[in-house]
Amino acid sequence: MQQYEITYKETGDKFYCKEDESLLACMRRNNNGPVQIGCFGGGCGRCKVQILEGEYHKFKKMSRAHISEEDEKQGIVLACCIKPRGSITVTTAPN
Amino acid sequence: MALNKTLRPGLIQVRVLNMEESLNFYVNVLGLNEVGRTSDGRVMLKGYDEFDHHSVVLREADEAGFEYVAFKVDSPETLVNFKTATEAFGYPVDEVPANSDQPGFGKRYGFKLCTGHRIELYAEVELADQRPMVLNPDPWVEMPRGMRAQRFDHVLLYGPNIAEAERYFTEVLGMYAPEICNTPDGKRFATWLTSGNKAHDVALVEYDKPGKMHHFAFLLQDWNEIGNAADVMAKNGVKRDVGPTRHAITRGQTIYMWEPSGNRIETYCGGYTAYPDNPVRVWDVDEIGKGLFYYEGELIPSFLQIVT
Ligand code: FES
Ligand SMILES: [Fe+2]
């Protein structure tokens, strides 16, 4: 199975995300990355992160209460709603 | 079980991000029955053991969360009296005509509570087509599905100034608080309110942002059914939040989980029998971990903070 390399900007740690796994599920499995776990449904906003580099696919709707259209343009996403499609670099979302 | 003129929370409308995914959860996993759809695409649901037309409405939107909860009162006279008393309390009231956006429901009066939540009151609602038997009744008509949720039970709301909201529910709707939680300086941190013998119909937690929902809950028969719900949850890959466990507060037994749009759902059973003449049970806020999760004995960190 295809795996994608995830780099956590703050620590420089690298870990791998499975093709069919959300970024949040991957961060939890690896116990790494800016992990904050909530509903896994795109509703609570707990898992907000920023993708600095790399391709990803939004497979689930993200609540507009937490992610504006402007946020999305800057790669600010809910980690439970995206799947990497290449190597990505992720950081804690700005507040 | 109501002892007062307010009967129960009988209707809740919530937003979901994805109707198809969430509806599959509510119908096939939780076990509610679909009653029908409104012309604007909302879906009406009810528990198999509920008589009234419907109790849960899902609306697809771009964020999850609470829209309103409506309390059924015992008569049209009470409804008018409560409207007047609500206005006298200081909340402007609007009127939603009968059989409009909630098919089967009579006239509703709505207002915004100080916590930022829309609350509605109604006295009349048609009976559902699918409803419990009344003549030599079996426990159910069609075999219940999934977690076998019997009915909508209660909701926990987050918002500012819950002390005032508690006063509204007690002074205007005639409800009472069997259990409360205070901060060290004696301010209300949380309150559990009921209109009857259930330990709670609505609960409130003090929070700076208005209009938030922590969870809404469905009644299961007993602790065995909580076990069944846990099996159904695991089999269907539903994201668990907390449990199965017991609350010391209300003494109910419970599982919290996330429906696919990120609203927190509770499957709840048991709880003590509340009476308005019993002394109020009081929790200090630093003991609330044990109050919420009796077996764990401590707070599960994200539990109080995550809301929709
Ligand atoms: S965990 Fe709730 S939005 Fe991702
Ligand atoms: Fe609850």
Side-chain angles (χ1 to χ4, degrees), chain A residues 25 28 36-46 59-66 81, chain B residues 16-18 21 60-64 212 239 258-263 302 305-308:
Chain A
R28 181 167 72 169
Q36 292 243 42
I37 289 168
C39 67
F40 269 89
C44 76
R46 186 83 176 170
F59 71 97
K60 213 170 156 51
K61 198 161 145 187
M62 304 187 285
S63 168
R64 278 275 174 257
H66 302 289
C81 299
Chain B
V16 296
L17 295 171
N18 182 311
E21 287 178 18
E60 192 171 74
D62 61 8
E63 50 186 275
K212 298 293 176 191
K239 289 290 171 201
W258 302 102
E259 60 101 324
S261 294
N263 293 304
S302 61
Q305 296 146 19
I306 302 179
V307 293
T308 54

Side-chain angles (χ1 to χ4, degrees), chain B residues 19-39:
Chain B
M19 182 61 82
E20 207 185 314
E21 287 178 18
S22 283
L23 190 57
N24 179 58
F25 169 84
Y26 287 96
V27 172
N28 296 316
V29 178
L30 189 58
L32 302 185
N33 292 332
E34 182 174 333
V35 173
R37 300 193 181 211
T38 61
S39 53

Side-chain angles (χ1 to χ4, degrees), chain B residues 154 200 215 217 256 266:
Chain B
H154 66 266
H200 60 333
H215 68 270
Y256 290 96
E266 179 181 21

Side-chain angles (χ1 to χ4, degrees), chain A residues 45-56:
Chain A
R46 186 83 176 170
C47 65
K48 192 154 130 179
V49 297
Q50 186 169 17
I51 311 294
L52 296 173
E53 261 172 66
E55 297 283 302
Y56 57 89

Side-chain angles (χ1 to χ4, degrees), chain B:
Chain B
M1 292 213 299
L3 298 166
N4 300 311
K5 291 176 184 298
T6 301
L7 300 179
R8 59 178 166 275
L11 174 68
I12 185 167
Q13 181 163 310
V14 297
R15 295 182 295 263
V16 296
L17 295 171
N18 182 311
M19 182 61 82
E20 207 185 314
E21 287 178 18
S22 283
L23 190 57
N24 179 58
F25 169 84
Y26 287 96
V27 172
N28 296 316
V29 178
L30 189 58
L32 302 185
N33 292 332
E34 182 174 333
V35 173
R37 300 193 181 211
T38 61
S39 53
D40 60 353
R42 287 169 298 134
V43 180
M44 299 173 278
L45 301 160
K46 69 180 282 294
Y48 76 87
D49 211 23
E50 290 177 297
F51 286 92
D52 291 347
H53 191 270
H54 61 273
S55 58
V56 175
V57 177
L58 307 180
R59 183 170 77 83
E60 192 171 74
D62 61 8
E63 50 186 275
F66 173 90
E67 300 226 299
Y68 55 85
V69 63
F71 289 82
K72 191 178 187 189
V73 303
D74 69 349
S75 69
E77 296 71 51
T78 299
L79 184 62
V80 172
N81 292 341
F82 280 2
K83 172 190 185 272
T84 311
T86 301
E87 286 166 336
F89 192 84
Y91 298 142
V93 175
D94 61 75
E95 180 178 328
V96 187
N99 254 312
S100 53
D101 65 325
Q102 296 291 351
F105 278 71
K107 177 172 65 185
R108 285 139 48 218
Y109 288 122
F111 62 94
K112 195 182 216 180
L113 196 63
C114 58
T115 53
H117 301 90
R118 179 174 171 83
I119 306 290
E120 293 184 347
L121 307 170
Y122 64 99
E124 292 173 310
V125 56
E126 288 168 21
L127 291 174
D129 291 338
Q130 290 174 326
R131 59 177 186 264
M133 293 168 67
V134 290
L135 182 63
N136 308 317
D138 293 309
W140 35 259
V141 181
E142 281 171 28
M143 195 191 292
R145 278 181 315 282
M147 297 180 179
R148 304 192 279 252
Q150 296 181 321
R151 60 168 169 75
F152 168 47
D153 190 80
H154 66 266
V155 60
L156 169 52
L157 303 174
Y158 268 45
N161 198 5
I162 65 161
E164 178 182 315
E166 181 185 289
R167 268 204 314 114
Y168 174 80
F169 282 112
T170 55
E171 290 174 16
V172 178
L173 299 192
M175 295 168 72
Y176 64 101
E179 206 144 0
I180 57 174
C181 175
N182 289 333
T183 59
D185 55 355
K187 294 218 178 65
R188 197 71 90 237
F189 174 73
T191 179
W192 289 263
L193 292 147
T194 185
S195 59
N197 295 131
K198 283 162 65 184
H200 60 333
D201 285 324
V202 59
L204 301 163
V205 167
E206 186 69 28
Y207 195 59
D208 54 349
K209 294 193 199 76
K212 298 293 176 191
M213 177 171 71
H214 185 273
H215 68 270
F216 65 119
F218 293 87
L219 185 72
L220 302 189
Q221 178 80 48
D222 55 26
W223 179 238
N224 287 334
E225 287 291 87
I226 298 279
N228 172 67
D231 288 344
V232 173
M233 176 181 72
K235 173 69 170 75
N236 287 279
V238 174
K239 289 290 171 201
R240 187 185 68 104
D241 186 28
V242 180
T245 185
R246 181 207 273 280
H247 298 301
I249 299 167
T250 76
R251 285 204 224 121
Q253 292 151 324
T254 183
I255 311 174
Y256 290 96
M257 66 196 81
W258 302 102
E259 60 101 324
S261 294
N263 293 304
R264 193 192 272 101
I265 299 288
E266 179 181 21
T267 51
Y268 176 92
C269 75
Y272 51 67
T273 306
Y275 286 102
D277 60 320
N278 286 344
V280 177
R281 296 166 170 90
V282 183
W283 290 85
D284 298 326
V285 77
D286 56 1
E287 289 290 320
I288 200 166
K290 173 177 141 188
L292 291 169
F293 306 117
Y294 188 52
Y295 298 158
E296 292 77 1
E298 60 189 14
L299 199 58
I300 291 158
S302 61
F303 185 78
L304 278 180
Q305 296 146 19
I306 302 179
V307 293
T308 54

